Amino acid sequence: MKQEIRDKILNILKQNNLLFEGVEDKIKIESPKEEKFGDLSTNAAFILSKNLNKKPFEVANQLKELFEKDPYFEKVEVAGGGFINLFISDAFYHQILNKAIEEKDEFGKAKEKNKGKINIEYVSANPTGPLHLGHGRGAVVGNILSNLYDYIGYKVEREFYINDAGNQIKKLGMSVYARFRQIEEPSYPFPEDGYHGEYIKDIAKEIYHYEREKILSFLDEEEAIEFCAEYAKNFLLDEIKKDLKLIGVEFDIWYSERHLYQHGKVEQALKFLESKGLIYEKDGALWLKTSLYGDEKDRVIRKSDGSYTYFAADIAYHYDKYLRNYDFIINVWGADHHGYFPRLKAAIMAFGVKEDWINVLFIQLVKLFKNGEEVKMSKRSGDFITLRELVEEVGKDAVIYFFASKDPNTHLNFDIDIALKKSNENPVFYVQYAHARISSVFREAQQRFNFNPEEDFEADLSLLKEDLERSLMKYISTIPDEIYDATIKNQPHKITNITYELASRLHKYYYYHKFLIENDEKLMKARLYLLKAVRNVLRTLFKIMGITPVERM
RNA sequence: GCGCCUGUAGCUCAGCUGGAUAGAGCAUCGGCUUCCGAUGCCGAAGGUCGCAGGUUCAAAUCCUGCCAGGCGCGCCA
């Protein structure tokens, strides 16, 4: 709504030769907190007063006259100093409804990707086991965030960084190899810090089934471990992709850590930093002067044994992202990595990039509750509920909605009992029911009146005069603004609030008014038109979240 | 010890770029269906916004200290 009204105002100024140079960006449209100050207000008079060399109050009155001629403004008031309060007319809201009908499940979405190119990296789980709930939450948040930036007009690249180079993978190989050997020799030692999960045994069995001869006869132990590592990594990465697909999350780029090493990108990045004099040697190791850029101390990038640290690879990774020329990047990380951020940021600043080029969203822990008790999870023993198990238990939509509904920065309690309830105790059902309810009315319209609202039709919207109808239209018109707001503040959880609020207004409208009206076809069509618009907006929000718009339930 | 996050109604949480009686849902209590799905709607009750100071005309919101919970402080990843 703000954007449309802003365009309208700028247009009026232009037509009256009032759009002076440099003025455009300064003119702001705000929504006043109090209803009596109108639907929107603008500071235009203050801005123009300098160019016109008049007092803001005078300019405001001049503008008021111009604005009043436009049918989108029902009333224009000049407040105290020169603020102009705008009361939007129904004609505007009717336009919004038409838009909601035309744009279907992409209501208010930017038509062009002209805001710039960004990269959002999320999940990036080690391919050493199935995804757990924390990954799931990160996946949902990252996915919605990506959809949001896409919605407001950014070209978004979604990326998963595969940690396939370090010790974790080696450990994985050793674990699988040990389980493999144990099949024939149960007393074969299992590595102390190996991966204990049952899935390791399953992979070992599979390898045993297909590759027993090869491993036992043709490979030495080191080669065998490497083989197991590679096999397990590919297997698990595949599982991760499947898990993500369950909640509708897909990536554009799968970026391999090993790729960085194989293509000399680590050396390349470090060379660049070295050329800036930011690298030095101490105690047989190479250090980066991160303390110059706000980190609490310098960090090792190459250990005294000659191998690189994880940090070194990460520097190379982000140097690569930097070379890819994004306007900015967002990383979605588990909160347990927050202590790592200052050094990465320091490295990026060392490239010569401005600080706010990188944004990190930290995802706090997920606790699971069932039958009123916390389900304890231990990663060490491999005894944890996986994302897949949760999806199987409560369904994809509930998982998405619950993960999305809380501020990523707060701890999340996931109550399985509530997610399973088919009642309004369960917000997912509440919002989905709103959608299904409209579809239900449409089916009834078809049956009773032989009128199918699913097809295109026209309606006389001036018949929508009820308070609930007008406030519903008004709320719809603010939704693109709210989505925009949620996006640039990186607060994807607000989408669930907006959805819930819209659903609530719909339920209320449904309760107080009838849509299928025996002897007033015009009114019936007008109301069905409004319902259809609401349903499209719901679909838009569902689409951003990845939730299914069910027709009946 | 230092750093980051969190602490709002019995429970789960919004609100936190300061603004007027602090909002939802669930749970509790009381209403609303001859009529498009009551998987809904309306109302009541319920809060020292962790505690203590400070800034301000105005603080849940900003600052300081403290308390509680979580996380992090490696030549690990």
Side-chain angles (χ1 to χ4, degrees), chain A residues 318-363:
Chain A
H318 284 86
Y319 185 62
D320 185 77
K321 280 190 192 172
Y322 160 64
L323 294 177
R324 283 189 252 159
N325 240 330
Y326 296 110
D327 290 280
F328 61 90
I329 65 169
I330 300 175
N331 290 357
V332 179
W333 286 354
D336 53 342
H337 289 88
H338 71 256
Y340 179 74
F341 187 42
R343 83 187 69 165
L344 182 63
K345 191 154 91 180
I348 281 166
M349 288 166 75
F351 298 154
V353 179
K354 61 183 184 339
E355 191 172 357
D356 57 2
W357 181 74
I358 181 170
N359 303 269
V360 177
L361 225 62
F362 293 103
I363 308 289

Side-chain angles (χ1 to χ4, degrees), chain A residues 97 101 457 461 464 468-470 472-473 476 509 525-535:
Chain A
L97 283 197
I101 296 289
F457 66 97
L461 301 181
L464 299 173
L468 286 175
E469 288 166 341
R470 301 193 62 222
L472 192 49
M473 289 189 282
I476 287 173
Y509 179 40
K525 284 190 174 173
R527 289 186 172 169
L528 289 175
Y529 197 85
L530 174 56
L531 284 194
K532 193 169 178 177
V534 170
R535 196 177 64 170

Side-chain angles (χ1 to χ4, degrees), chain A residues 23 41 115 142 158 217 339 385 398 412 425 456 467 471 541:
Chain A
V23 162
S41 68
K115 278 253 167 56
R158 302 140 188 267
S217 315
I385 307 260
L412 173 71
E425 206 177 328
D456 291 345
D467 285 350
S471 78
L541 292 160

Side-chain angles (χ1 to χ4, degrees), chain A residues 101-102 104 439 442-443 445-446 449-459 525 528-533 535-536 539:
Chain A
I101 296 289
E102 280 163 25
K104 299 196 166 65
S439 299
F442 287 4
R443 287 193 295 270
Q446 166 80 304
F449 295 85
N450 198 24
F451 172 69
N452 185 3
E454 302 288 355
E455 290 169 6
D456 291 345
F457 66 97
E458 306 217 329
K525 284 190 174 173
L528 289 175
Y529 197 85
L530 174 56
L531 284 194
K532 193 169 178 177
R535 196 177 64 170
N536 281 352
R539 285 179 179 175

Side-chain angles (χ1 to χ4, degrees), chain A residues 227-503:
Chain A
F227 179 87
C228 287
E230 187 64 16
Y231 190 98
K233 185 205 82 184
N234 289 331
F235 179 89
L236 290 168
L237 205 53
D238 227 46
E239 293 296 301
I240 286 172
K241 287 180 186 178
K242 285 184 202 159
D243 289 355
L244 289 170
K245 208 160 186 185
L246 286 177
I247 50 171
V249 175
E250 292 184 42
F251 290 89
D252 302 308
I253 301 169
W254 294 80
Y255 202 101
S256 152
E257 181 184 4
R258 191 187 299 173
H259 170 94
L260 292 167
Y261 287 108
Q262 286 168 345
H263 292 78
K265 287 184 181 276
V266 177
E267 279 83 0
Q268 187 190 333
L270 298 187
K271 207 178 206 172
F272 176 68
L273 291 172
E274 194 171 17
S275 73
K276 294 193 157 202
L278 296 169
I279 288 177
Y280 64 92
E281 195 173 343
K282 193 181 85 177
D283 304 331
L286 279 188
W287 299 69
L288 179 66
K289 293 181 184 172
T290 51
S291 61
L292 287 179
Y293 300 96
D295 196 11
E296 56 187 21
K297 60 178 188 177
D298 293 343
R299 305 290 176 175
V300 170
I301 48 180
R302 198 180 69 201
K303 299 178 241 177
S304 52
D305 69 2
S307 66
Y308 289 109
T309 60
Y310 174 84
F311 183 42
D314 219 14
I315 290 171
Y317 177 43
H318 284 86
Y319 185 62
D320 185 77
K321 280 190 192 172
Y322 160 64
L323 294 177
R324 283 189 252 159
N325 240 330
Y326 296 110
D327 290 280
F328 61 90
I329 65 169
I330 300 175
N331 290 357
V332 179
W333 286 354
D336 53 342
H337 289 88
H338 71 256
Y340 179 74
F341 187 42
R343 83 187 69 165
L344 182 63
K345 191 154 91 180
I348 281 166
M349 288 166 75
F351 298 154
V353 179
K354 61 183 184 339
E355 191 172 357
D356 57 2
W357 181 74
I358 181 170
N359 303 269
V360 177
L361 225 62
F362 293 103
I363 308 289
Q364 298 288 341
L365 293 183
V366 177
K367 279 188 188 173
L368 201 58
F369 288 83
K370 193 175 184 179
N371 303 324
E373 281 181 25
E374 186 180 350
V375 183
K376 290 280 183 191
M377 287 178 270
S378 155
K379 198 174 178 185
R380 183 141 178 223
S381 63
D383 175 27
F384 53 92
I385 307 260
T386 62
L387 174 64
R388 185 180 300 182
E389 286 164 345
L390 187 66
V391 172
E392 281 164 2
E393 187 151 4
V394 305
K396 155 198 164 193
D397 293 329
V399 169
I400 292 175
Y401 194 93
F402 279 85
F403 279 165
S405 64
K406 310 290 189 267
D407 186 328
N409 226 359
T410 65
H411 299 232
L412 173 71
N413 291 335
F414 193 109
D415 191 326
I416 289 185
D417 302 323
I418 289 178
L420 279 174
K421 279 188 185 161
K422 306 198 181 227
S423 73
N424 61 356
E425 206 177 328
N426 183 347
V428 191
F429 268 76
Y430 186 84
V431 299
Q432 284 186 320
Y433 179 42
H435 184 277
R437 205 168 207 184
I438 294 171
S439 299
S440 174
V441 172
F442 287 4
R443 287 193 295 270
E444 195 68 18
Q446 166 80 304
Q447 213 161 56
R448 273 176 36 191
F449 295 85
N450 198 24
F451 172 69
N452 185 3
E454 302 288 355
E455 290 169 6
D456 291 345
F457 66 97
E458 306 217 329
D460 178 2
L461 301 181
S462 67
L463 298 171
L464 299 173
K465 289 174 185 155
E466 301 289 342
D467 285 350
L468 286 175
E469 288 166 341
R470 301 193 62 222
S471 78
L472 192 49
M473 289 189 282
K474 189 171 168 182
Y475 185 65
I476 287 173
S477 69
T478 65
I479 284 179
D481 298 337
E482 297 215 28
I483 294 176
Y484 183 84
D485 202 52
T487 308
I488 57 169
K489 288 179 176 168
N490 291 336
Q491 296 183 313
H493 69 286
K494 288 196 167 162
I495 298 304
T496 59
N497 298 354
I498 297 167
T499 310
Y500 196 91
E501 175 68 25
L502 180 59

